Amino acid sequence: MARVHVGAKHGSPDPPMSKAAMKYLLVRPKVPAPLDPNFCPLVLAKKQYMKLVAGSPFTLEWALPRADGCARGKLPVLADKHVDVDASIHLAGVLIQEMIW
């Protein structure tokens, strides 16, 4: 399987999504997008993920300095030893990256 570069065509390619992340974060809408039938919106991924972590006592919080203050985010996560912790790691990375953009 070919690896895909996201953004600039230099540097190392993005690693493939783990099976745990795929299991919980790849959620297709009921009505497929006509131009991309494999499209999986972040909002559906987050909705399914939040069901997975419901009741989890663990959270990840982050802050990004901005010119006009500080942007903050918070995400309930799975325990470090949980078999599907990669889903938490992947989603946290996506949400932080989204906040940077």
Side-chain angles (χ1 to χ4, degrees), residues 1 16 22 30 42-43 45 47 51 69 71 78 83 89 94 97:
M1 176 164 74
M22 283 189 224
K30 290 179 183 175
L42 177 59
V43 68
K47 184 177 181 181
K51 290 177 189 174
L78 297 169
V83 68
I89 294 167
V94 167
Q97 185 176 24

Side-chain angles (χ1 to χ4, degrees), residues 24-91:
Y24 296 106
L25 303 179
L26 294 182
V27 183
R28 291 188 182 150
K30 290 179 183 175
V31 178
L35 298 178
D36 185 359
N38 291 324
F39 175 65
C40 297
L42 177 59
V43 68
L44 296 180
K46 194 170 176 186
K47 184 177 181 181
Q48 181 162 298
Y49 173 82
M50 294 305 273
K51 290 177 189 174
L52 170 68
V53 296
S56 174
F58 306 106
T59 58
L60 172 69
E61 295 185 45
W62 64 91
L64 297 172
R66 301 270 188 217
D68 59 345
C70 186
R72 298 179 49 121
K74 184 176 181 178
L75 180 70
V77 294
L78 297 169
D80 291 346
K81 303 290 184 198
H82 193 283
V83 68
D84 292 327
V85 70
D86 281 351
S88 292
I89 294 167
H90 189 90
L91 184 58

